[in-house]
Amino acid sequence: MRTRLSVLGAALVAAVGLAVTPANPAAAATSTPVIFVHGFIGNGSNWSTALSVFRAGGFTRLYTYDYNWAGSNTISAAGLRDRVNQVKAQTGASKVAIVNHSMGGLVTRYYLEELGGSSSVSHVASIAGANHGTTYAGACLIYASCIEMYPGSLFLLNLAAGDETPGTARYRTWYSACDGIIIPYTSTRLDGATNTNVACETHLGFLTNTSVLTQIRQFIAS
């Protein structure tokens, strides 16, 4: 009788232990909603490879944000704020992760620094981001976005006055000397972020570089 009671007691303890065991950390990490923000002359279709890489890693809450790339980045940032709030309401998540490319870096920075977005974001991954502008924008100054993206613009000076990595989010960038569009290529780096120099990758090549995209997926899952 004592033996049977001991076995029953052990079984109950084990059952209770199972009931209070936290959810799989890996599953919890991949449940983070991820919003992908394209760059100049881009759209959501730019992220087809990235979406495949993230799905292969178990991510299911994946979203893109399309905006008018010719317009002011301040307006695009306000749209990003609305998109983040929409995704949070839809998923019930308190925070999202943001992956951006090229001029999407400026849209993201303005949202985080000027529109209070840092409280809603857990991770920021900037791929070849024009985070401090690029002289290449001199070729498209007929657009408000390019005027703001040109080094020395009032838009960039305003961002420079703030914290480049605000809040408690984790920040990481990927950049390369072979970029060809972000000039200087070091413009992508952010103070306070983990800045990753990729040996040689082109500006658009980053979007299909599965090695880099896998690193980004692992970063957001961490």
Side-chain angles (χ1 to χ4, degrees), residues 106 109-110 113-114 131-133 147-164:
L106 290 182
R109 281 194 67 192
Y110 196 89
E113 295 181 34
E114 303 297 327
N131 295 323
H132 297 97
I147 292 173
E148 293 171 348
M149 191 163 45
Y150 196 79
S153 69
L154 291 177
F155 177 85
L156 290 173
L157 290 174
N158 182 47
L159 285 180
D163 183 355
E164 294 189 355

Side-chain angles (χ1 to χ4, degrees), residues 45-123:
S45 67
N46 294 157
W47 299 108
S48 57
T49 301
L51 292 173
S52 295
V53 169
F54 272 70
R55 289 191 187 107
F59 282 84
T60 57
R61 296 174 169 180
L62 304 174
Y63 306 86
T64 58
Y65 168 54
D66 283 297
Y67 61 92
N68 175 19
W69 50 261
S72 171
N73 289 295
T74 62
I75 296 174
S76 299
L80 177 58
R81 176 193 58 200
D82 295 342
R83 182 62 165 148
V84 169
N85 290 338
Q86 178 189 55
V87 169
K88 286 171 58 181
Q90 180 179 332
T91 62
S94 60
K95 294 188 177 185
V96 305
I98 292 178
V99 179
N100 64 59
H101 176 250
S102 193
M103 193 175 72
L106 290 182
V107 174
T108 303
R109 281 194 67 192
Y110 196 89
Y111 163 61
L112 294 169
E113 295 181 34
E114 303 297 327
L115 302 181
S118 60
S119 62
S120 294
V121 178
S122 63
H123 296 75

Side-chain angles (χ1 to χ4, degrees), residues 126-138:
S126 187
I127 314 169
N131 295 323
H132 297 97
T134 171
T135 57
Y136 198 87

